[in-house]
Amino acid sequence: MQLKMRPLILIALLSIALNCSAQLQAEKKSLKTASNTIEISFNQDGTTVWIYKEVYFKGEKKVLKAGNYTLLQLGIDWNDVISSLKIPNGYVVEMYIDDNFKGTSIAIYGTKTNKNANTRTWVGEEQELDHFWNEKISSIKIIKL
């Protein structure tokens, strides 16, 4: 009798697992824990910038909110390794070659405004920083426009 029950139990467990998976996908694309939110997919209308250690949004990722990030705040393991980033609508990221917002800098916007059509287009995916900026960033400012 016990041998006949095992396949039924396995089928029931599989059914529950599939149902939970479908519910998770249908919910918001974030998981909430007691202390914070873990983002699963980038929200182009969100409030966080995602930086990556490799091109094409690969490798280790760090999620940053608006603010100023020196090398100490980014973490020493993020010095001169940023290769791609995603910026939400209405934000600009200023990146600096040196720590403490010194040296050459560049501003990358998450939104492009077309004044003729009075529209805004999200352009905040930099899948591969050009050769001058790739793996040379030591401090960052994230500004909400």
Side-chain angles (χ1 to χ4, degrees), residues 39 42-48 88-89 91 144:
E39 299 188 49
F42 183 77
N43 179 357
Q44 71 185 37
D45 294 312
T47 59
T48 57
N89 276 323
Y91 284 80
K144 179 163 177 42

Side-chain angles (χ1 to χ4, degrees), residues 41-109:
S41 64
F42 183 77
N43 179 357
Q44 71 185 37
D45 294 312
T47 59
T48 57
V49 169
W50 291 16
I51 58 175
Y52 297 83
K53 286 189 175 182
E54 295 181 27
V55 296
Y56 302 106
F57 319 114
K58 296 189 188 279
E60 189 176 339
K61 169 183 79 176
K62 191 172 194 94
V63 178
L64 303 171
K65 294 187 177 205
N68 298 335
Y69 298 88
T70 64
L71 187 53
L72 179 65
Q73 292 156 322
L74 282 173
I76 193 72
D77 59 328
W78 281 90
N79 188 39
D80 296 339
V81 296
I82 298 170
S83 293
S84 57
L85 69 154
K86 293 183 179 184
I87 307 166
N89 276 323
Y91 284 80
V92 61
V93 174
E94 292 178 0
M95 299 181 295
Y96 297 80
I97 291 279
D98 297 323
D99 191 18
N100 295 312
F101 319 108
K102 294 182 180 169
T104 305
S105 66
I106 186 172
I108 300 179
Y109 290 80

Side-chain angles (χ1 to χ4, degrees), residues 19-50:
N19 189 30
C20 289
S21 176
Q23 286 177 351
L24 179 61
Q25 289 176 1
E27 290 179 10
K28 244 178 150 181
K29 300 248 175 166
S30 65
L31 299 174
K32 294 195 180 203
T33 64
S35 61
N36 60 6
T37 299
I38 301 167
E39 299 188 49
I40 296 172
S41 64
F42 183 77
N43 179 357
Q44 71 185 37
D45 294 312
T47 59
T48 57
V49 169
W50 291 16

